Amino acid sequence: MSTSTKPSAPDPDVVTDPLTEAVRAIDTTALDCIQVNAAVLAHAAHGPAAHLELGGRLRFAPRFGEGGSLPTVEQTPTDQIAWMGGPLGLVLEARRPLTEGRALLDLLPADGSPLYIVGDAWNMPWLPYHGHQHMDHSVLLRAADGGAHVEAVDAYDNETPYGRAEPVVCAYDRSKAAALFDGSSVLPVTVRSAPPVQRPVSETLAENAEDAELLLAGDSPERYAAAFRDHPDQQEACAALLLETWLLNRSRRLHAAWAAHHAPGSTLAHTARDQAAAWDDLAGQCYLAARRVQRGRPVPPQIHPSLVELLRADARYAVEAAAGTGPGDTMPHEPTEVRRTVVETVADVLDAAPEAVAATDDLSRLDGYASFQMVETVERLEDSYGVEFAPGDLEPAVLRRVDGLVDLVLRTTAGTEVTHP
């Protein structure tokens, strides 16, 4: 017996579960199927935005195969697990792979805390891939009802050829849960919380620029695109390229979210957002190309040059960001731009719509905007502009108004009073 539900909006009178609350809170569409459930654990352990640290590094490191196999930017689950722990503030310890469901369930902590696993999506009935496609996929398992039942928490969100995968919490009796994982290899990963590795934004940008300079000096984008363009089986090539651009698109969206969190309103954030939008467009073109080729039509010729140009545009952005187009150096100081930065910062702190923040005269009327959120907003604005506000300026009447915060930024950075647009 099993039940499956989508995580719904929390009832204010009910104690919320940290995992399902995290599933609701994070943008799961910016994460791949290995990252997404580790991100849920990070949110539950360290709060909102903890998972965004996965997006700081802007990578393009394809593995070129041999014997005509196509290149891929996809990392192995083992490599991802080894790297994710530090940025997320988690200790992820991969255990020996198992092929027996009962042995896997014996690893579930008795206190109901989760076990992160990577298994075969083919065997996971809550996914549209079930019975259709073999692929590595993560999920969180935990004991419920004293061990009589097992819950599977999966935040994955994606439109697939077999239907939509949506975040779910599924409950199975223990024998049914064990049967799901019999006969195929499952990698169990024990989890415990640790302090997140706090890296300065400038350090991350410098590493991105170092990688980007190597890319710009070589021909890896051209070789990568040519491998798909020149492959003898264009149905296979287009299907593979669709997955590649899907992965690159999600990684760029996550990077844009990271940049917006650390430097809201900055040139860094705006350029990262534009690059992510361009990747979204290319992924859509590759989807259409794959469909056309399946019907015997030619591959649209623009997708391979567009892929090369986007990869090189990513690299140019990374070099420029490290050279000074980051949060401290090019933050706009025009009133309109500062207002946008303030609105985006408050919206990010509250996880609210920027439109709702911009339309509010008194921010304290917004749900959750109290003393802690005021302090968080002030600290983020100080970090974004590289300043420290005078203690005497931090009056409640100032901190409760967008215009007050805009004036505070402008006075501190430029020493001027302005008329608001």
Side-chain angles (χ1 to χ4, degrees), residues 16-184:
T16 57
D17 167 53
L19 292 189
T20 54
E21 182 68 18
V23 172
R24 284 191 292 262
I26 65 179
D27 179 9
T28 57
T29 65
L31 298 152
D32 69 32
C33 60
I34 303 299
Q35 295 170 333
V36 67
N37 291 307
V40 168
L41 295 172
H43 184 288
H46 302 296
H51 69 286
L52 295 180
E53 296 311 306
L54 288 177
R57 291 286 275 120
L58 193 63
R59 289 186 170 92
F60 174 66
R63 293 180 285 122
F64 287 86
E66 297 179 356
S69 62
L70 290 163
T72 183
V73 296
E74 186 173 19
Q75 292 180 287
T76 67
T78 302
D79 286 344
Q80 284 187 274
I81 290 164
W83 175 76
M84 287 190 301
L88 293 177
L90 301 172
V91 177
L92 302 174
E93 295 182 355
R95 307 283 292 270
R96 178 175 56 86
L98 300 171
T99 57
E100 184 183 356
R102 286 187 299 175
L104 175 68
L105 299 190
D106 286 344
L107 297 178
L108 296 182
D111 63 2
S113 56
L115 177 72
Y116 173 99
I117 71 164
V118 177
D120 189 347
W122 178 281
N123 299 321
M124 300 179 184
W126 59 89
L127 291 172
Y129 299 111
H130 175 58
H132 291 286
Q133 184 175 343
H134 294 283
M135 59 181 292
D136 291 321
H137 189 87
S138 73
V139 65
L140 305 177
L141 300 180
R142 60 183 177 182
D145 301 328
H149 291 84
V150 175
E151 286 187 342
V153 180
D154 189 352
Y156 187 59
D157 192 337
N158 186 33
E159 193 68 52
T160 83
Y162 318 106
R164 183 161 190 84
E166 296 183 293
V168 294
V169 178
C170 303
Y172 299 90
D173 64 49
R174 192 176 180 88
S175 61
K176 173 65 174 177
L180 294 178
F181 301 104
D182 278 336
S184 65

